[in-house]
Amino acid sequence: MLVPIFTLKLNHKINPRMVAIGKYDGIHPCLTAATQAGKVFIHNPHTRGQRPEAHRLSQSTQDSDISLLNINQAVSCLTAGTLGPNTTGHTLLVGSQTNLLAYDVHDNTDVFYKEVTDGANAIVLGKLGDIQSTLAIIGGNCALQGFDYEGNDQFWTVTGDNVRSLVLCDFTADGKNELLVGSDDFDIRVFREDELVTEMAENETITSLCHMHGSRFGYALANGTVGVYDRTARYWRIKSKNHAMSIHAFDLNADGVVELITGWSNGKIDARSDRTGEVIFKDNFSSSVAGVVEGDYRMDGQIQLICTSVEGEVRGYLPASKDMKGNLMDASVEQDLIRELSQRKQNLMLELRNYEENSKALPGVSEGEFKMGVIPANTQLQTALSVRRATDSQRAHIELNISTPNETIIRAVLIFAEGIFEGESHVVHPSAQNLSGCVRVPIIPPKDIPVDLHIKAFVGGKTSTQFHVFEITRQLPRFSMYDLSVDSSATEPTGKVTFNINDRPQRVVMWLNQNFLLPEGIDSPDITFTALRGGGLLRINMHHSGEITLRTDDIDLAGDLVQSLASFLAIEDLQAEADFPVYFKELRTTLTEVDDFHSVHQKLTAAMADHSNYVRNMLVQAEDARLMGDWRNMKKRYIELYDLNRDLINEYKIRSNNHNALLARLKSVNQAIQRAGRLRVGKPKTQVITACRDAIKNNNINALFKIMRAGTTSS
């Protein structure tokens, strides 16, 4: 249990997920957080009156213990920690959508200030893989970038979508850190330096990640879900109507195992067991939680859990001592436990009453009729999946057929499935006139991912008022939205990817049967599908030499197929040749637009600088005229100033629109590199991503497309 030991009221609002603790002089921990108007505040109650104002740092007028760091941009992420090899204190790192600042708070100096084209949505500090230097790793617009203490770019790779959360942990238990990345495309990816180790699909944006211990980590989603993974296995998850604003690992009961601490948007703080997700501590703030960190803030040798709210309230907690634990069970937790036990008792009593009623023979019941709740012994739940093409009245879908083999009827069906139904569940409740022993449920998977369908059905007789609950789990294959039937009018795909494998065709057929919905009797890997989502054909052909050709105009689908087949066949390294003429033509246009937007950006920046100088000169002339009593000239200068200010505002709007358009194009370029990489596996994949980046750095567009096609610059 946790005991509250101090509370602070800071007169500054705190941005969510932008809270850190830093020992900037190497001794005293300081609470650091991003606040409004492009500022970062540093709360240091330990050395009052010893902080000179200099450079970016200034004293707060509201609180003598707080210094303000002026960033002059909206802060998007921050952290603090040891960056340089010979530094005594921590370095503060602050990211925005255009820059990364590494700041020495103790000496009031910039360590480095770097422009980051892809922005910085998330930041983490630490060692990664075999890279010797400690890195400040930022995640932005589909890209990951790592800087050492001198601001040198030591690490770069691309990921599937905009990055929202980062954490370092030894995921593979090899003694070296891997980078876990949560992004907008609902995936948690694990990188060993620039090599993708594995990925876990979730059903919402991953907003927070935190390392717990070993290969275990906690996560939070934008829909209010929090949970714990150990490597790729999910231990547990819970879902709330509130949003998880911050998660942190902290050992609150001194048992040597950390619990998952979550701060919620409704102000609640809770601690859950890392093994079961059971709540073992709760507290409440009057406003949304902004961040949860830890540190020895009282300088007494004990690490406190420190929770902050968006209104600037700060609370510190300590784990309860052993002799106090028995008396510290939170009252609300006790009440919740009593309520849960009462509910369980009520459910058991109801179930017992049902059994008693079922055991009573009902007089006047004929043989052909069912007794109340009694069903034949051979009753079982049968399921079948089939592909259904679009009609005038219904979209293309997968039909789940749930049936019983006798005269029983299905009164209701409840299906749990991640990422398919809104709220992750779907209920089918036929009207009394339409009851039968068969229920058909249309399923439309939004992405090509395997999904477990957890099905519960109420089964009974036609006159039953009590029903048996049948439970069954059926997996929806990854590529279920592809139909074997082909339209004669379908256009032949121009895109293709070709690679060689050292395996039998029967193994490829096994993979096809596991990942597609196929009829029995398919024994050849040469097969053609129609994509039900976007239309278009998918052709898979295998030559007797082991060469496989995948023909499709969807480069994302081609990458998914390559990765799935390589995983099934346990292929570690796979080189491939690819050509997607339509996509590559769009990419060439995008690259031309990037150059145009860069050029416009430079011209607008230069024009704004010139106008800023004019403003300064006119203001001086206007004030000179005012002091000399030359009211006519003063009025003239201020009118000119007004017009110039209006022009500056309009130019800023143009520059802002240009910047947003440039970011969208850069995201497309990063995604193109990611897609080219996904057509290969292992080292060839890493080599393609690195070579593509070098080609873009050198503005060698022809080399870029050559690499994407051949997978190497030498071909």
Side-chain angles (χ1 to χ4, degrees):
M1 298 304 108
L2 292 174
V3 184
I5 54 168
F6 68 80
T7 301
L8 303 170
K9 299 280 188 180
L10 307 180
N11 295 315
H12 292 273
K13 293 185 183 297
I14 299 175
N15 292 351
R17 302 187 184 97
M18 299 183 201
V19 183
I21 291 276
K23 295 182 180 179
Y24 302 115
D25 60 357
I27 302 169
H28 303 97
C30 303
L31 183 67
T32 308
T35 187
Q36 297 167 336
K39 290 183 172 63
V40 172
F41 76 72
I42 300 163
H43 180 255
N44 183 3
H46 310 292
T47 55
R48 289 173 181 160
Q50 299 179 25
R51 295 182 297 284
E53 293 193 20
H55 192 40
R56 297 175 184 268
L57 212 58
S58 62
Q59 202 73 33
S60 170
T61 56
Q62 298 169 307
D63 192 329
S64 61
D65 290 338
I66 289 179
S67 300
L68 292 173
L69 181 64
N70 291 302
I71 305 299
N72 297 322
Q73 293 183 70
V75 177
S76 53
C77 59
L78 66 77
T79 191
T82 303
L83 181 62
N86 301 315
T87 53
T88 54
H90 287 172
T91 302
L92 173 62
L93 292 135
V94 183
S96 69
Q97 287 305 312
T98 54
N99 298 93
L100 174 65
L101 169 67
Y103 191 71
D104 187 328
V105 175
H106 186 255
D107 292 336
N108 290 322
T109 57
D110 290 1
V111 178
F112 64 78
Y113 185 68
K114 301 291 289 188
E115 182 176 346
V116 286
T117 311
D118 297 309
N121 300 328
I123 187 167
V124 67
L125 187 63
K127 290 283 186 76
L128 174 62
D130 291 317
I131 300 172
Q132 294 299 313
S133 306
T134 299
L135 298 181
I137 302 171
I138 57 170
N141 196 4
C142 296
L144 301 165
Q145 204 166 358
F147 298 93
D148 64 13
Y149 65 100
E150 294 178 335
N152 299 318
D153 185 353
Q154 296 281 358
F155 165 72
W156 184 91
T157 192
V158 290
T159 186
D161 208 334
N162 288 337
V163 177
R164 292 295 164 206
S165 49
L166 298 170
V167 74
L168 290 164
C169 84
D170 185 7
F171 184 86
T172 56
D174 61 354
K176 299 169 187 174
N177 279 341
E178 282 77 35
L179 178 66
L180 276 63
V181 182
S183 53
D184 278 350
D185 61 356
F186 309 170
D187 280 346
I188 301 173
R189 295 180 174 86
V190 183
F191 288 90
R192 184 190 292 116
E193 295 183 27
D194 51 7
E195 176 192 353
L196 180 65
V197 177
T198 188
E199 50 192 328
M200 290 79 80
E202 280 294 333
N203 52 22
E204 250 296 351
T205 298
I206 293 88
T207 55
S208 299
L209 293 167
C210 79
H211 178 225
M212 300 195 71
H213 58 84
S215 56
R216 196 170 299 184
F217 63 93
Y219 72 98
L221 306 182
N223 62 2
T225 298
V226 296
V228 167
Y229 273 94
D230 194 344
R231 296 195 185 176
T232 55
R234 186 165 58 207
Y235 267 36
W236 58 266
R237 65 174 183 144
I238 62 99
K239 189 174 180 181
S240 169
K241 62 182 179 181
N242 301 300
H243 298 295
M245 307 305 292
S246 179
I247 57 175
H248 187 76
F250 187 78
D251 183 8
L252 62 82
N253 51 12
D255 63 351
V257 179
V258 293
E259 283 71 39
L260 184 66
I261 315 296
T262 309
W264 298 89
S265 57
N266 65 344
K268 187 175 76 172
I269 296 277
D270 64 35
R272 295 177 182 271
S273 163
D274 75 314
R275 302 174 191 87
T276 63
E278 177 190 0
V279 176
I280 52 182
F281 173 80
K282 284 198 296 189
D283 199 1
N284 284 284
F285 281 82
S286 58
S287 58
S288 172
V289 174
V292 181
V293 291
E294 65 176 69
D296 181 10
Y297 216 59
R298 297 197 307 175
M299 300 288 291
D300 60 1
Q302 298 182 86
I303 301 296
Q304 298 105 41
L305 181 72
I306 300 168
C307 304
T308 62
S309 78
V310 294
E311 295 298 325
E313 183 180 355
V314 181
R315 286 187 205 163
Y317 300 87
L318 268 181
S321 59
K322 291 181 180 179
D323 56 338
M324 293 176 65
K325 278 182 190 171
N327 303 318
L328 276 171
M329 182 67 180
D330 190 75
S332 61
V333 175
E334 277 188 348
Q335 290 169 4
D336 288 347
L337 190 57
I338 291 169
R339 196 179 301 115
E340 182 185 340
L341 290 172
S342 299
Q343 183 68 45
R344 199 179 301 173
K345 177 184 175 184
Q346 187 177 347
N347 292 341
L348 289 170
M349 293 291 289
L350 185 61
E351 189 174 344
L352 181 62
R353 191 159 58 248
N354 287 340
Y355 280 126
E356 288 173 349
E357 289 180 5
N358 285 341
S359 65
K360 296 174 184 175
L362 297 177
V365 176
S366 63
E367 281 188 24
E369 293 178 312
F370 292 108
K371 296 180 182 179
M372 186 179 292
V374 178
I375 60 175
N378 68 342
T379 305
Q380 58 182 342
L381 206 61
Q382 299 171 337
T383 61
L385 292 166
S386 54
V387 181
R388 292 286 183 265
R389 306 197 76 164
T391 63
D392 293 339
S393 59
Q394 198 167 25
R395 293 166 56 191
H397 62 276
I398 307 302
E399 185 176 273
L400 172 63
N401 189 304
I402 305 166
S403 60
T404 58
N406 48 36
E407 297 177 30
T408 52
I409 57 103
I410 299 175
R411 189 66 186 88
V413 173
L414 176 61
I415 306 172
F416 296 94
E418 289 184 50
I420 292 183
F421 306 116
E422 188 176 352
E424 298 186 19
S425 62
H426 181 67
V427 178
V428 180
H429 201 281
S431 62
Q433 296 80 21
N434 297 320
L435 292 177
S436 70
C438 179
V439 172
R440 293 181 176 88
V441 183
I443 296 173
I444 307 175
K447 296 198 300 182
D448 290 331
I449 54 173
V451 178
D452 285 331
L453 304 172
H454 302 283
I455 304 162
K456 296 185 179 183
F458 290 11
V459 178
K462 291 181 180 178
T463 58
S464 294
T465 56
Q466 297 166 12
F467 297 89
H468 289 256
V469 178
F470 283 75
E471 296 188 29
I472 191 170
T473 298
R474 181 74 189 263
Q475 188 178 68
L476 195 64
R478 180 171 185 175
F479 302 105
S480 54
M481 289 289 282
Y482 297 85
D483 187 19
L484 268 179
S485 58
V486 177
D487 292 334
S488 57
S489 60
T491 307
E492 194 67 24
T494 57
K496 68 174 183 178
V497 56
T498 305
F499 52 91
N500 284 282
I501 63 169
N502 296 317
D503 227 314
R504 306 185 313 278
Q506 289 78 8
R507 293 268 289 155
V508 178
V509 172
M510 287 173 62
W511 168 75
L512 285 169
N513 279 293
Q514 184 175 305
N515 287 275
F516 291 83
L517 284 175
L518 299 176
E520 292 183 9
I522 299 291
D523 56 2
S524 169
D526 298 330
I527 197 165
T528 303
F529 296 96
T530 300
L532 297 187
R533 284 195 201 91
L537 297 182
L538 164 64
R539 291 195 188 278
I540 302 174
N541 300 103
M542 183 174 182
H543 194 262
H544 61 79
S545 64
E547 182 183 85
I548 292 180
T549 302
L550 309 176
R551 297 181 183 277
T552 173
D553 288 325
D554 187 343
I555 192 172
D556 286 315
L557 171 59
D560 288 342
L561 290 165
V562 169
Q563 297 299 316
S564 175
L565 181 58
S567 174
F568 181 82
L569 300 176
I571 298 172
E572 293 184 358
D573 295 313
L574 182 67
Q575 178 60 284
E577 293 187 3
D579 189 21
F580 291 86
V582 176
Y583 180 72
F584 287 163
K585 184 179 179 181
E586 291 173 358
L587 178 59
R588 194 177 284 275
T589 303
T590 300
L591 288 166
T592 304
E593 290 174 344
V594 167
D595 287 340
D596 293 343
F597 284 126
H598 267 304
S599 176
V600 171
H601 175 77
Q602 290 170 352
K603 289 177 183 176
L604 289 171
T605 302
M608 285 191 76
D610 290 343
H611 283 161
S612 297
N613 290 330
Y614 293 153
V615 166
R616 194 179 299 113
N617 293 334
M618 282 187 188
L619 191 59
V620 170
Q621 291 174 21
E623 283 301 291
D624 286 347
R626 183 182 67 81
L627 292 170
M628 294 171 64
D630 187 353
W631 309 119
R632 182 181 173 188
N633 265 331
M634 184 194 80
K635 183 179 179 181
K636 182 180 178 183
R637 295 297 175 224
Y638 274 117
I639 290 171
E640 289 174 352
L641 264 174
Y642 176 81
D643 293 338
L644 196 55
N645 184 62
R646 186 183 59 210
D647 292 343
L648 272 171
I649 292 171
N650 290 333
E651 282 180 15
Y652 172 78
K653 289 177 181 176
I654 295 169
R655 189 168 176 236
S656 176
N657 292 335
N658 179 81
H659 178 71
N660 290 334
L662 176 60
L663 281 182
R665 302 308 187 278
L666 289 173
K667 178 179 178 179
S668 297
V669 173
N670 285 337
Q671 285 179 328
I673 297 173
Q674 165 80 357
R675 286 164 175 154
R678 282 182 61 80
L679 299 174
R680 288 90 185 174
V681 178
K683 289 180 181 177
K685 175 180 180 178
T686 304
Q687 290 165 357
V688 163
I689 290 173
T690 304
C692 284
R693 191 203 183 196
D694 292 340
I696 288 176
K697 268 186 169 181
N698 299 325
N699 202 25
N700 191 339
I701 304 305
N702 290 329
L704 173 69
F705 286 104
K706 193 174 181 181
I707 294 159
M708 286 183 165
R709 287 189 176 97
T712 174
T713 53
S714 59
S715 298

